[in-house]
Amino acid sequence: MRREELIFVGTCDIAGHVRGKGFPVTDFESRRNKGVGWTHSNLMQTAFGPILDTPFGTAGDLMIIPDPAAMVRVDFADGSAVEQFCLGDIRNTDGTPWECCPRDFLSRARAALADQDGLNLIAAFEQEFVYTGVEERPGDPYSLNVFRRQGTFGEVFTGALQTAGLTPDSFLAEYGPRQLEVTITPQATMIAADQAVILREIARAVAFRMGYRVIFSPMPVAGGIGNGTHIHFSLRDVDRMPCTWDATQPMGLSPAARHFCAGILHHLPAICAITTPSPVSYQRLTPNRWAPTQIDLMQQDRGAALRICPVFASANAEDTARQFNVEFRVADATASPYMALGALIFAGADGIARKLEAPETVKSLPHSLSAALDAMEASETVRSWFSPVFLDAYLRHKRSELAHVAGMGDSALCAAYAEIY
Ligand code: GLU
Ligand code: MG
C-alpha cells in the first residue's frame, strides 16, 4: 500500500506533554509560516487530557509555527512510521508570540538574563526514567547485569538520539528498580530545552517500537525511588566565555554565578510550582531518595537543591572553567523543559539584578503543589514573568489538576501519573 510520510508539529505545553498536529511532510516548506492551527483552550488540556477549567472558552485561533532548529527525523527502518516531528512556537494569527507560549516564556527569560551584562546560559538536562522492558531483580542498581538485560534499548535509543542531532554523554542503570538515566552534552538555552523534549519523545518512540514503555513520572511507585530531571547549567559572558568559576571565591563561584544561584534559592518556594508542577512531584522531594528536600546550595552533595558539580581531571584553568557547572535538582518530567528552564533563568537573572545572597538559614522545600502554587501567586517577582492572562491560565490549569486528583491515596496517585508521564 502507498504510504505518505507525515510530520507532526507541536509544542511541549504546561502539562509537559507534546501536543500538536500532523501533515504530509512534502507540505513542510509551504507551512513554514502558517504551521498548524491551534486554539487558546488547547493550553488548558490537563496532564490527564480533559480541559477541567479554562479562561478561554471555545473561542480563538492560534498557530504553532515549526522551528527547523528543533526538527527530528528518525527512520527506525523496521517498517514502522518514520518518527518525524518539529517543535515550535505558539503564535497569534498575525505571527506575534502568544503571551502563554511556554517556548516564548523561555525566550523572555533568556532576554532577562541577557539584560545582565549580556550573560547567557548553557544547560544539559540529565533525565531519569523507568524502562518497563527490564525485569526487576534485587541487586540491580548500577549493575552490568541490568545494563545488559535492557537489551538493545540503550543502543537503539543512543543511535536515535544521535540521528536526531543530540550528543549522548552517558547511559546507565540508575539506583531505582528498572531505572535508567541518560545525559547529553550542554547546549545553548533554547536548544537545551528543545533537546530535553526531544530526548523524552525519542525514549518513548524506541520503547513503543519494542513493545514496552518508559515512565518519566517523578514517583512511579509510592514510597519508591524518584525520577529526577536534573538541569546542569553554567553562565557564559557576552563573548560566550565561561564565567561561572572563580578560584578565589567561596566554593569557586564567580560573583555573577553566586547571585544567580542566590536568586534561584530565593524564589525556589514559588518556582517549584513550575519546575516540580505535579502533586506527585512532592512525593519525590522527600528524604532518603537522593532527591532534594531543602532550599540549599552545596558542593558535590546529591541531596542539595543546587549542587556544585565536580571538575574531573582538569588539564588547566581553562578546562576547569569550561567544566565547572551547577546542577538544579528540583525539577522533574511533569514540567515542560521550557517552563522549568525559563523559571530557573528568570530567578537567577533576578538574583544578579538585585545582587542577592543565599539565605542564611536553610528552609524546607514546599511539601505540596498547592503550597508551591500559593507561593507563586504571592510572589510579585514571579508574577511579573507572566502576563495576567498567562498567570491566570497557569494557576487554573494546575489547580484544576489538583482538584481532579483530590482524595486519591499515594499509591493511586503514583499509578495515575505513571500512566501519563
Ligand atoms: N533519583 C534521584 C532523584 O530523584 C537522583 C539520583 C542521582 O542521580 O543522584 O533526583
Ligand atoms: Mg541520576
Side-chain angles (χ1 to χ4, degrees), residues 26-69:
T26 44
D27 291 349
F28 189 77
E29 272 318 305
S30 64
R31 279 189 178 258
R32 278 283 290 274
N33 296 325
K34 62 178 183 191
V36 294
W38 208 235
T39 189
H40 301 64
S41 278
N42 279 130
L43 186 78
M44 304 310 287
Q45 292 167 127
T46 57
F48 294 95
I51 298 166
L52 302 171
D53 183 16
T54 175
F56 305 114
T58 49
D61 283 289
L62 298 163
M63 324 181 277
I64 307 179
I65 303 297
D67 181 347

Side-chain angles (χ1 to χ4, degrees), residues 126-128 142 172 174-175 179-183 226 228 230 290 302 327 329:
E126 177 183 316
Q127 309 209 51
E128 297 171 335
Y142 298 102
L172 57 125
E174 248 286 357
Y175 182 62
Q179 190 182 39
L180 303 176
E181 174 184 303
V182 64
T183 52
H230 304 157
W290 294 12
R302 288 181 169 78
E327 179 186 38
R329 296 174 65 92

